[in-house]
Structure formats: C-alpha cells, structure tokens
Amino acid sequence: MEDEKKSLNFIEQIIEDDLKSGKHKEILTRFPPEPNGYLHIGHAKSICLNFGLGIEYNGKTNLRFDDTNPVKEDVEYVDSIMEDIKWLGFEWNGEAHYASDYFDQLYEWAVDFIKKGIAYVDDQSAEAISATRGTPTRPGTDSPNRNRTVDENLDLFSRMKNGEFGDGEKVLRARTGMDSPNMHMRDPVLYRIKHAQHHRTGDTWCIYPMYDFTHGQSDYIEGITHSICTLEFENHRPLYDWFLDQIYDSTKTRPRQIEFARLNLSYTVMSKRKLLELVQKNIVTGWDDPRMPTISGLRRRGYTPESLRNFAEKIGVAKRDNVIDVSLLEFSVREDLNKSARRVLAVLDPLKVVITNYPEGQIEDIEAVNNPEDESMGKRMVPFGRELFIEREDFMEDAPKKFFRLAPGREVRLRYGYYITCNDVIKDTAGNIIELHCTYDPETKGGQSPDGRKIQGTIHWVSAEKAIDIEVRIYDRLFTDEAPDGHKDVDFKEFLNPDSLEVLSHCKAELYLKNAEKGDKFQFERKGYFCVDLDSTAEKLVFNRTVPLKDSWTKQNNVKN
RNA sequence: UGACCCAUGGUGUAAUGGUAACACAGGUGGUUUUGGUCCAUCCGUUCUAGGUUCGAAUCCUGGUGGGUCAGCCA
C-alpha cells in the first residue's frame, strides 16, 4: 500500500500549523450544544469534526452545554444530547461542562468591565435599543445612559443581580462604539434580566449572560485551543476576540474561533425550531420519529453510528454553503449494513402460492446463507412447504419479456428453494388474484437444476404454515421539496409528504425472526434493510424500513412510464 | 447602498504554483441463486475579465453571483 498523503481540510491545516509552530503542544476542542432540543444530523457533523480532531491529533474534546437562556432549556435535552454523543461512539474529556458553571466568573468579569469603563447599564427598552442600533448600512446612535459614572453602573448592575428590577427593565452593555460597520460590535448586550428557573442554578440568578459574552470566555476558562463553530458566527468573531482582549493573560491558552459551513440535507429541514414545531404539532410522533433527521430518529430508523460517522467523513468540511443529497446518507447506511446485516426472507405484500405437486403436510428445511458478504456469519435453515407466500409484485399476469419473475407458464427460482412454474391463477368474484397454483421441480432443490437450464429470476418467499406475522413501517422522505425551508412566502409545512409513512400490518416473515430483539437489523432479501422498532410487543414484531435496496428494475420502469 | 465570508462535473469534497482527482447521483455494459453487492465505462471551457509567472483552479486587481448580520436567542 502506498502511503498516500491524506488531504487535510482547512481546519486540520490550521491545527497542524499550530502544532508545528509550537503555538499549542496539545489541542483541546469542544462541542457546545444548547440544551434546547434534540441533536440532529447537522450536529453529528460537528460532533464528528470536533471529537474526530481530538482523536486525530491526540488531544481532547470537552462537552459543554451552552445553557445561558433558562427559558428555553431543559434537562430532558441534556440527557438526550449525552446519550446521542455516546451512541455515536465518542467520549468527552472528563465530566460534562456547563456554561452555567462559569456564571460567577462571568459576573466578576462584567464588574471589571464596568470598572474599566467599558460596560454600562442601559435603561432603554428592547425596542429603543433596537431602534438606535442603526442598520447594516447606517451607524447607530448612543444610548442616553452610555456615559453613566462607574459608581452608578456598579450600583445598578448589582441591583440588577439582586432582583430589584423586572425582566427587560435594564441590561448591561459593552462600550464598543455605535458606529462599527459590524452590527455585533455596536454596544452589544452582555447581561439581561430573566426571573426564570435555570435547570442547574435554580433561582440563584435573575440575570443571565448573553451568548457572545459567554462563549469565548468559557473556551478560555477551559483552555480550548480551537473553538469550531458554524459560519453564521463569523461576524461574531471580532467580538469574541474583543472580549478575550480584555481578560487575556498571556500565560494562558488563547482560544481561536474557526467557522465552517453547516450541513444542509436535501428533502428535510434542519433548524431546531422547525423540528420542534413538527414534534409539538404532532406531525411526527416525537423527536425520535424515524422520519426525523435527528440522531435519535436516525437511530430508531436503523442507522448505525458507523454509517453516520462515515457519512460525516464523506461530506467533508469547508466554508462554502452546501446541500448534501440524501442519497449519500442512504448510501452510507447501505454500505455499512450490506457488510453487517443478516439476510432473511420476508414478504411484505403476501400472495399465496400452492405447489400442487408437493406432498401435503410435508415441511423440509432448506439451507440459506446469512450474509453472502461475510461467510463467518454462517447459515441457517428455512422451512419450506406446500403452501407459500410470495411478494404480490413478483407475479404479473400479463408480463413483458423483461419481467424476470413469475407469470403464467413461466418458471422462476425460489431463493435457496426450488424452481416453480405457474399453472393457474385463482381469482375472487371481483377478479382479484387471490392464489397461484404452481408445480415445482423436485430436482432443483437448493436452487439449481441438474440440466443447468437458465433461470432469469429469483424471488423470495416464506412458508405459509411456518411464517410469523409482522408489521412493517415503510418510510419515505418527510418533504416533497428538495429545500422545504428555502421558499420565501411559503411555509415549509406546505411541502410535507402525505405518504411519508405507510404501515403494512399483514407481512409475513420466516421463523428465524421470531426471537429478534428491538434494534436488531436485517436485510429482507430484495426489499431493503429493516430494524426492529421500539413499538414491538411479544405478540407482534414491528419493523422499520431503514432504506430500500437499490432497485434498477422499478427505476427502469418509472423512466419508461 | 456597509462589514464579513464564499465561488471546481447534477451534488459534495480534493488537487498546498507543475497531467483537474475521489465519492454520491445519473447513463451504458459485464458478473450474479437478492433486478442487491461487485467490476468496467461515460458525464468539467475550475463564475468572469485582466494581471504576475516558463507555468495559475491555486497568487493579485476589478466585475458578477451567492451567503451572513439590524434578538434582551444560540
């Protein structure tokens, strides 16, 4: 094997330069979610990036909850976030951190700012502050409170902290200047008053620091070397650096913010607000609905951690806006499951077949391979009998030449079984096909004939007598539009796919599946990859279709139609 | 009429001044007891105009197109 040099993304580039120059001996990254929702595939990209860098460069990665807004945050989210990160296969450095751990330090820094004359208490309303901030092209104007004395500011700020004012009555602002071309640098708000219960600090505080005043300082406290975030924070970087300039001690590690482009996936939405709306309006069954792009949804759908990590690797890291085709995600899970999933026979839309020349009451065991990609996964026995079920779509009464399956007078191979030929089509009074009468060739057991005659088609089947009943949930994309939230004036919910879930409650599966457990993954031969859903009971197994197999037959036909 | 950022096949990512590569998607063919897998093959004036250079996707300048920013959200 040539030791070909792996190309580096721009962040790895920066890190290698920093390591080489001696700026850092070891790197420390962090993943900083706000506990206000469940993690989605976009977060998975960030997790794989941050933790992956930690591993790649022999450094570490902190988990830090960015919990500065008590009204939106909850421990439910803290728990799910930790579960998802662990499930993805990553381990954070030490205990989980919380920005709220640093509230005391942050408050001290705020007091220092006041003493240095670079922060002041503003009495203006939110509306007034907004109105005097200017626009991107026009500078803002100074607050009438901008030149209060240090003592007055100190007094007011401590009274804010002590709860003497109501929500919104006062804020602490930095004195960075109202004429900056960067909106974020126009006297940004540092602290606001919220008389709210915090999920960790309870009612200790009634003032809470803003994101900008918290994030960089938290990085600094933890000794983060590379603080990686998404592109929309690029305009915040001057502020991030400005705060650090005020508190930086040159003996300590100074973190650097680096921005990359967030993940967008076609045919879905990624914003937590919109995902929350789908949950709250019961459009989906919950954050872990298998149609959701959440990590918990993908997990329930049958995605593996490995497939998600591979996906993150494949999409790369760069700064330009991107939309990844969902087919790449689907490819990633097929690629992984193809190697690891046991094959079984299951019929989703059963059509009865009677083999008229097969002895009544006889059942024989037929050997089947568990995974042709991996011999070590062994073989199993599948019961075969006179009455079988095959897939309804595997029979066509008036079949075209290229249809390689069952049709009147045509011979087909039952996978691992016998060759059968269809002789009679039984219909009900309405003309619906209810049963097929076939004959089998006893010489073809296992699926090959002594005379070597060519059989084009192989179809799957289960014994009618020995099959178990299962429910199968077929999922399709949640939205019919490639970019549901990319339309101005049209709500993303207008593009919901009415057929995103189809429940098949009368499916038949081979006996082997009887003892399958929740989360187990299988390939139903010729149909796709499926996993046992949480809703399964002792009486009935429920399967989720993770992803169908590639199907060049129906694709070919769709083109023709 | 601001600041910051971005521009390479349909999609995404490489090429670190020296033959535009890889993956997905799509097309075609081959193998096949899954119409799966696997294999082969096809699919590009690197946004544009200049400049620097023996040599530019890469460096510089202008243009064009796109993104982000006017929360007491993160």
Side-chain angles (χ1 to χ4, degrees):
Chain A
M1 211 49 200
E2 298 279 315
D3 62 320
E4 56 191 76
K5 216 165 119 190
K6 181 188 163 272
S7 64
L8 303 176
N9 65 47
F10 77 102
I11 298 176
E12 293 171 319
Q13 203 78 248
I14 291 169
I15 290 175
E16 294 205 358
D17 287 348
D18 289 346
L19 256 15
K20 210 171 296 169
S21 73
K23 179 178 177 188
H24 301 296
K25 285 198 177 57
E26 190 175 276
I27 66 156
L28 214 211
T29 57
R30 104 267 91 111
F31 175 64
E34 184 189 12
N36 68 343
Y38 279 61
L39 260 25
H40 54 61
I41 180 81
H43 294 108
K45 175 182 183 180
S46 174
I47 291 168
C48 291
L49 212 210
N50 277 294
F51 285 91
L53 254 13
I55 293 165
E56 184 181 356
Y57 292 103
N58 253 309
K60 293 184 169 67
T61 304
N62 285 358
L63 168 61
R64 180 173 72 236
F65 289 98
D66 226 326
D67 55 350
T68 57
N69 186 1
V71 303
K72 288 191 176 173
E73 295 152 8
D74 196 278
V75 282
E76 176 199 351
Y77 300 124
V78 171
D79 294 341
S80 75
I81 288 167
M82 294 205 268
E83 185 192 352
D84 288 347
I85 296 170
K86 285 190 248 177
W87 177 78
L88 269 176
F90 295 107
E91 220 172 284
W92 52 87
N93 175 37
E95 295 294 306
H97 298 254
Y98 296 81
S100 53
D101 292 341
Y102 314 135
F103 281 173
D104 285 315
Q105 171 68 263
L106 258 6
Y107 180 81
E108 273 177 46
W109 276 324
V111 170
D112 287 346
F113 276 28
I114 293 172
K115 288 179 182 164
K116 281 165 60 181
I118 53 173
Y120 63 98
V121 173
D122 196 349
D123 307 340
Q124 293 185 107
S125 66
E127 297 70 42
I129 289 177
S130 173
T132 53
R133 199 180 331 260
T135 70
T137 53
R138 239 189 299 276
T141 50
D142 286 1
S143 163
N145 307 305
R146 198 168 193 269
N147 293 313
R148 289 217 242 240
T149 64
V150 168
D151 287 342
E152 194 182 354
N153 280 318
L154 249 16
D155 174 59
L156 255 14
F157 187 49
S158 103
R159 287 164 60 193
M160 279 169 64
K161 182 199 178 198
N162 293 336
E164 290 186 32
F165 307 110
D167 290 4
E169 277 184 41
K170 290 190 166 29
V171 290
L172 184 72
R173 291 228 258 170
R175 291 175 102 245
T176 51
M178 292 304 292
D179 57 352
S180 170
N182 182 339
M183 296 291 289
H184 298 286
M185 293 297 284
R186 319 236 262 230
D187 284 14
V189 172
L190 270 31
Y191 268 90
R192 76 286 215 195
I193 300 169
K194 280 179 191 286
H195 291 269
Q197 280 281 320
H198 186 278
H199 72 109
R200 300 199 91 226
T201 62
D203 53 10
T204 306
W205 297 88
C206 62
I207 56 172
Y208 292 92
M210 297 289 289
Y211 164 84
D212 285 307
F213 190 67
T214 307
H215 204 96
Q217 287 92 313
S218 299
D219 286 339
Y220 180 64
I221 291 167
E222 294 179 15
I224 301 297
T225 55
H226 303 269
S227 182
I228 300 162
C229 62
T230 44
L231 246 31
E232 66 269 30
F233 292 101
E234 206 153 30
N235 291 337
H236 296 237
R237 179 153 33 93
L239 188 52
Y240 181 101
D241 288 329
W242 189 85
F243 286 136
L244 287 177
D245 286 341
Q246 313 309 317
I247 62 172
Y248 180 54
D249 165 351
S250 63
T251 62
K252 297 208 174 115
T253 300
R254 180 172 173 134
R256 168 175 175 186
Q257 176 178 304
I258 302 165
E259 312 84 13
F260 72 99
R262 66 176 340 132
L263 166 68
N264 296 293
L265 249 197
S266 61
Y267 295 101
T268 191
V269 294
M270 210 65 95
S271 97
K272 276 201 244 179
R273 206 209 84 230
K274 294 192 177 86
L275 294 176
L276 178 65
E277 189 178 342
L278 294 175
V279 172
Q280 288 181 335
K281 295 194 169 154
N282 292 316
I283 292 165
V284 295
T285 58
W287 286 98
D288 70 344
D289 186 298
R291 293 165 293 182
M292 292 280 272
T294 50
I295 294 177
S296 51
L298 291 164
R299 173 167 60 231
R300 187 166 175 184
R301 176 83 170 249
Y303 276 75
T304 57
E306 174 83 358
S307 68
L308 261 23
R309 279 188 259 121
N310 288 345
F311 173 73
E313 185 63 37
K314 276 192 257 273
I315 61 177
V317 178
K319 291 195 73 162
R320 70 175 125 149
D321 292 319
N322 61 83
V323 182
I324 306 290
D325 199 320
V326 268
S327 65
L328 185 60
L329 219 209
E330 295 181 341
F331 169 82
S332 300
V333 73
R334 282 199 197 98
E335 183 187 38
D336 186 32
L337 259 18
N338 178 48
K339 291 180 294 186
S340 61
R342 279 168 286 173
R343 317 279 129 128
V344 294
L345 302 179
V347 174
L348 304 188
D349 185 11
L351 172 62
K352 190 175 221 175
V353 167
V354 178
I355 301 175
T356 53
N357 62 338
Y358 192 87
E360 287 199 42
Q362 177 175 315
I363 294 286
E364 65 183 309
D365 277 336
I366 285 183
E367 189 178 70
V369 173
N370 286 333
N371 189 342
E373 305 294 315
D374 183 356
E375 219 174 290
S376 75
M377 293 179 76
K379 297 178 175 171
R380 68 182 187 286
M381 293 312 226
V382 183
F384 184 89
R386 188 171 194 266
E387 297 197 350
L388 309 171
F389 289 113
I390 66 165
E391 207 71 63
R392 188 165 285 273
E393 65 171 20
D394 284 340
F395 175 78
M396 202 180 258
E397 202 171 8
D398 194 11
K401 198 151 181 3
K402 299 277 272 180
F403 185 79
F404 301 149
R405 309 176 190 182
L406 202 57
R410 288 203 201 170
E411 189 173 44
V412 76
R413 172 165 40 230
L414 294 177
R415 169 134 253 225
Y416 301 124
Y418 293 95
Y419 293 0
I420 59 169
T421 303
C422 177
N423 304 310
D424 281 306
V425 180
I426 315 297
K427 297 180 181 177
D428 63 14
T429 50
N432 301 308
I433 300 170
I434 53 169
E435 196 173 300
L436 263 24
H437 285 183
C438 301
T439 49
Y440 84 117
D441 178 351
E443 299 297 306
T444 57
K445 183 170 182 180
Q448 46 212 321
S449 64
D451 63 6
R453 90 183 90 108
K454 194 94 177 140
I455 294 291
Q456 289 262 46
T458 301
I459 65 172
H460 58 102
W461 53 276
V462 298
S463 151
E465 191 184 333
K466 297 292 187 183
I468 59 169
D469 289 305
I470 61 171
E471 175 180 316
V472 173
R473 296 174 182 171
I474 303 291
Y475 301 101
D476 196 358
R477 46 181 61 127
L478 232 198
F479 296 94
T480 54
D481 190 88
E482 224 178 277
D485 55 3
H487 301 261
K488 303 224 188 299
D489 310 323
V490 188
D491 186 83
F492 75 104
K493 296 191 296 305
E494 294 295 311
F495 300 104
L496 278 163
N497 177 6
D499 303 316
S500 62
L501 169 62
E502 185 187 1
V503 178
L504 307 175
S505 38
H506 302 291
C507 308
K508 302 281 184 181
E510 64 170 283
L511 219 46
Y512 182 74
L513 242 31
K514 196 170 68 183
N515 299 316
E517 288 176 15
K518 291 175 183 176
D520 282 358
K521 295 166 180 64
F522 299 93
Q523 184 196 103
F524 290 180
E525 293 217 22
R526 304 209 303 134
K527 299 307 305 181
Y529 295 98
F530 296 77
C531 72
V532 182
D533 188 70
L534 267 36
D535 289 343
S536 295
T537 62
E539 293 78 52
K540 195 166 201 178
L541 286 170
V542 176
F543 284 87
N544 296 317
R545 184 176 73 184
T546 307
V547 66
L549 253 29
K550 269 218 243 164
D551 183 355
S552 50
W553 166 245
T554 53
K555 196 195 304 182
Q556 178 187 329
N557 284 281
N558 289 340
V559 171
K560 282 176 184 163
N561 293 345

